Amino acid sequence: MRQGLSLRVSQHLALTPQLQQSIRLLQLSTLELGQEIEQMLEVNPFLEMDHEAAEREQFGLAQADMPVSDGDRISEYAPSATTDFSSSADNKDQDATPLSAEPGDDGVSWEGDGTTETTPDDGEWGGDAKARTNNLGDDEDKDATELARVQESLQAYLLRQALRLRLSDTDSAALRFLIESLNDDGYLEDPLESLAQSLAGDDLEQIEDLVHHFTVALGLLHSLEPVGVGARDLGECLRLQVRALLADMDTDAPAHDLEREVLEVALRVCQQPMDFLARRDIKRLVALGVGSDALVREAIALIARLEPKPGRRFVDVERNIVVPDVLVSAIHKPGATPKFRVQLNPDVMPRLRVHDIYANVLRNHKASSSHAGLQQRLQEARWFIKNIQQRFDTILRVSTAVVERQKSFFTHGELAMRPLVLREIAEELGLHESTISRVTTAKYMATPFGTFELKYFFGSGLDTESGGSASSTAVRAIIKQFIAAESSKKPLSDNQLSEMLKEQGIECARRTVAKYREGLKIAPASLRKAL
C-alpha cells in the first residue's frame, strides 16, 4: 500500500462546553434554572449570591452579528431592563425608552471569545368540588404555601373518623390498611384478593381470612365521610351517594314521594353501564325499564350534581404559581396611542457574582501551576454568570419582538391575535428557529389580559375571504364566544360553528372546529344540551 500526505479543508461545528451550557440554560424554566443555580453554588466556591446591586461584570466581545435597535438593547443592570415602544410605527424610535446602562457601555455581546484571562473587576450582574375550609379564619394574608401546608389529607381525615369506631384490633388494622390503599380520588383500585395476596403471599387459608376481614372493613369504609369513598369504580361511587340521600330522607313525609322516586330511578341508572349515562342515552335507559322519560331526565340531572371523585377536595394540590419571566404593562397618555413597556421580572433574576476575595487571592498566585484547577473553576463561574445573562438578554429580545408583532392583542385581546410563526421572529432577530423555540418554552409573560406562555403568541393562520389570514388563537376565541352565547336547549354543532365562521369570512372545516373545541375542553353539542 502506498502511503502519502494530503491536505484537506473542511468545516465543522464544534459545541464547546460553554456553548452547550448556554443552550441548556436557555431552555430551562424558571424553577429549573433556580435548581441549576443552587447546584452550581454548592460545587463552585468562586460563585456567590449577592442581594446588593453592583456593577455588571465587563467581559465579552462587541456584538457583530447584526445591529440591534434601542428597543432590543439589554441594560447593564438587568432588573431595570425595560423597553418602551409605541404602537405607531412612525414614532417607534422616539418613543422607545432608553435602557439603563453604565457609562462607557458600547453594547457588548455575551458571546465570549473563549479567553481564560481574568478581568480586574469581578462585579455582579442584576438579577369542581367545593374547596374545603382550612380553619384559618378570615385572615386574607395567608398565602398559598401556608394553605397547602395545613391541608388535611384524605387518609388523615378517614383515620380520624375510624378512631371513633369501636373495632377489634384486627378490624381496625384492616380498615387502616384499606384507607392507606386509596388513591387520591378516594377509590380503592386494587381488588380485595390482590391486597390480601400482597400480605399473605401464597397462603390460601390466610388469604381467605384476610379477604373476609377486608370485606367487613370495606363496609365500614363506605360508611365514612365523604360519601362514596372506598368505591371500586364510578358506578359504585355514585350508588353509594344515592343510597346515602335515600337514607337521609324522611320516610313519614308524603311530599317527598316524588323525590324518593327520582332517587330510586337514579340508583337504577347507576346500576347500568356508565356509557349510557355519559352519552345521556335516555331512550336506551327507558327501554331497559329504568323509569319513565321524565323521571330518567330528572335522575340524570340529580346524578350530575354528585361528586365523582370523593377525595378531590382533600388532595394537597401542589400550588405551582406561575412567576412570569417578562412583564408587559400599558402606558396610557391622553390623546396618544397606547404604548407598552416590556421588562424582565426582577423576581426571577438571580444576583450572581464572582467571589472577590477568592478571585483576588488566585490572581496573585496565577503563575503557580498547582492552581490550574482553581483557575478552571473561576472561569466556569464567569462563564456561568455570562450564560445566565445571555439567557435573559435573549428572552427580553424575543419578548420585545413578540409584543411589537402582537400589539393588537395587547390592545384588544385574543380576538385580535395575528398569525405568527417562529421563523418570523428568528429572521427579525437573526437567531435560529430552534433558539426561538427554546426561549418560548416554559417562559411566561404577564400581560394586561393575564399571564401566558410565550408560545401562546405563536399560531398558524386560517385563510379568509379577503385573502388574508386569521390566527388560530383568534378563531378559538370566536368559537368560545359562539358557544357561550348559544341556547342550552339547542347547542351549536361543529358543523354549525363552521358555517358561522364562514359567515365571518374565515374558512374553517368542521374537523378543525372540533379540534379547536376539544382544545378548549368544551364538550360536544350532545353533552351541552340541557335536559
Side-chain angles (χ1 to χ4, degrees):
M1 178 181 294
R2 184 178 180 181
Q3 296 182 351
L5 296 175
S6 62
L7 182 64
R8 183 175 58 185
V9 179
S10 64
Q11 292 182 342
H12 68 280
L13 177 63
L15 289 177
T16 64
Q18 293 81 8
L19 182 57
Q20 294 178 18
Q21 183 186 70
S22 176
I23 295 174
R24 184 167 53 83
L25 292 177
L26 188 61
Q27 64 189 11
L28 295 181
S29 65
T30 300
L31 179 61
E32 294 169 338
L33 178 64
Q35 296 172 349
E36 185 78 14
I37 291 174
E38 290 179 2
Q39 182 179 358
M40 184 61 70
L41 288 170
E42 292 178 359
V43 300
N44 196 318
F46 291 97
L47 197 65
E48 67 173 352
M49 296 286 291
D50 192 352
H51 300 288
E52 296 181 0
E55 292 184 1
R56 173 171 157 178
E57 201 170 303
Q58 302 291 332
F59 53 84
L61 296 176
Q63 182 169 330
D65 55 343
M66 62 172 294
V68 181
S69 64
D70 290 339
D72 291 336
R73 295 184 59 206
I74 307 305
S75 69
E76 291 297 319
Y77 177 47
S80 63
T82 60
T83 303
D84 289 356
F85 58 87
S86 172
S87 57
S88 173
D90 296 335
N91 298 328
K92 181 172 64 174
D93 293 335
Q94 63 184 14
D95 289 337
T97 301
L99 303 175
S100 58
E102 297 296 335
D105 177 27
D106 56 352
V108 295
S109 166
W110 292 99
E111 291 187 3
D113 56 356
T115 178
T116 59
E117 295 182 2
T118 58
T119 55
D121 180 19
D122 292 320
E124 177 235 27
W125 66 271
D128 289 328
K130 184 178 180 181
R132 182 175 181 273
T133 57
N134 294 285
N135 300 324
L136 294 177
D138 296 330
D139 187 1
E140 297 180 356
D141 295 333
K142 303 290 184 182
D143 59 11
T145 305
E146 187 171 356
L147 292 175
R149 187 165 55 249
V150 300
Q151 178 81 20
E152 185 178 25
S153 67
L154 174 64
Q155 281 73 17
Y157 182 68
L158 293 172
L159 290 173
R160 187 155 51 84
Q161 296 180 65
L163 292 176
R164 298 197 293 263
L165 302 176
R166 296 182 178 180
L167 303 176
S168 63
D169 293 341
T170 303
D171 291 338
S172 177
L175 178 57
R176 177 182 291 271
F177 186 80
L178 292 186
I179 291 175
E180 296 295 339
S181 301
L182 298 175
N183 63 13
D184 290 340
D185 295 329
Y187 284 85
L188 187 65
E189 295 178 328
D190 300 321
L192 299 182
E193 292 77 8
S194 299
L195 295 175
Q197 188 174 6
S198 66
L199 296 176
D202 297 331
D203 191 339
L204 298 179
E205 184 177 352
Q206 189 175 1
I207 290 176
E208 184 178 352
D209 184 60
L210 285 173
V211 169
H212 170 71
H213 288 292
F214 284 158
T215 303
V216 175
L218 184 61
L220 296 171
L221 180 59
H222 288 166
S223 66
L224 302 179
E225 294 287 341
V227 181
V229 69
R232 271 73 62 87
D233 53 48
L234 177 60
E236 184 179 19
C237 177
L238 297 176
R239 290 194 297 272
L240 289 172
Q241 296 181 59
V242 173
R243 290 194 183 104
L245 293 175
L246 281 168
D248 292 341
M249 290 190 62
D250 186 2
T251 57
D252 298 332
H256 293 168
D257 289 345
L258 179 60
E259 184 179 351
R260 174 176 291 275
E261 190 174 2
V262 172
L263 287 172
E264 291 173 350
V265 172
L267 185 60
R268 290 195 290 271
V269 169
C270 294
Q271 292 171 346
Q272 302 298 324
M274 288 292 100
D275 290 344
F276 299 158
L277 180 62
R279 297 196 306 264
R280 298 184 180 184
D281 196 343
I282 298 175
K283 293 182 179 179
R284 184 69 178 273
L285 292 172
V286 172
L288 292 172
V290 173
S292 63
D293 185 281
L295 287 175
V296 170
R297 291 178 182 273
E298 292 188 28
I300 292 178
L302 183 145
I303 294 172
R305 297 194 295 269
L306 301 179
E307 175 54 80
K309 298 179 180 180
R312 172 160 46 187
R313 65 190 178 99
F314 293 94
V315 176
D316 186 11
V317 180
E318 182 182 0
R319 287 160 171 81
N320 291 325
I321 302 175
V322 175
V323 179
D325 300 87
V326 181
L327 307 177
V328 179
S329 56
I331 302 176
H332 297 283
K333 295 182 180 179
T337 306
K339 297 188 300 181
F340 300 96
R341 175 182 290 115
V342 183
Q343 62 182 4
L344 295 170
N345 185 1
D347 294 336
V348 302
M349 300 183 66
R351 300 179 185 274
L352 296 174
R353 72 174 184 181
V354 173
H355 201 294
D356 291 333
I357 298 177
Y358 294 166
N360 291 332
V361 171
L362 184 61
R363 187 181 298 112
N364 295 333
H365 298 80
K366 184 177 179 181
S368 176
S369 59
S370 60
H371 298 120
L374 294 178
Q375 290 283 357
Q376 182 178 0
R377 284 292 188 181
L378 177 59
Q379 185 61 26
E380 288 177 358
R382 293 183 180 281
W383 275 108
F384 187 74
I385 294 175
K386 186 176 89 168
N387 287 333
I388 289 182
Q389 180 63 48
Q390 185 180 23
R391 174 186 185 271
F392 284 104
D393 288 356
T394 307
I395 291 175
L396 182 60
R397 289 184 61 196
V398 172
S399 302
T400 301
V402 168
V403 172
E404 190 169 3
R405 289 294 187 100
Q406 298 289 6
K407 285 181 290 189
S408 298
F409 166 83
F410 293 95
T411 304
H412 305 290
E414 58 183 354
L415 287 174
M417 187 78 80
R418 293 179 50 193
L420 183 63
V421 294
L422 299 176
R423 185 183 66 256
E424 297 180 41
I425 300 297
E427 292 176 352
E428 178 179 341
L429 300 181
L431 301 173
H432 196 272
E433 286 186 47
S434 62
T435 302
I436 306 299
S437 178
R438 292 186 180 97
V439 170
T440 56
T441 301
K443 314 298 187 302
Y444 294 87
M445 176 186 291
T447 73
F449 296 97
T451 301
F452 303 94
E453 188 179 11
L454 287 179
K455 278 191 178 298
Y456 173 79
F457 299 96
F458 295 83
S460 57
L462 298 176
D463 294 335
T464 61
E465 291 181 353
S466 61
S469 60
S471 171
S472 58
T473 304
V475 174
R476 288 188 182 93
I478 296 174
I479 292 175
K480 191 190 304 183
Q481 272 193 352
F482 286 159
I483 294 177
E486 71 182 2
S487 171
S488 59
K489 295 183 178 181
K490 292 183 178 181
L492 298 171
S493 65
D494 294 338
N495 190 54
Q496 289 175 315
L497 291 171
S498 177
E499 294 297 329
M500 295 173 69
L501 288 173
K502 289 181 180 179
E503 294 177 0
Q504 300 287 331
I506 301 174
E507 296 292 335
C508 188
R510 182 192 62 81
R511 291 183 180 180
T512 306
V513 171
K515 183 181 70 173
Y516 289 168
R517 175 182 53 75
E518 292 172 358
L520 294 170
K521 297 182 179 180
I522 298 176
S526 59
L527 298 182
R528 300 199 307 270
K529 186 176 182 180
L531 296 174

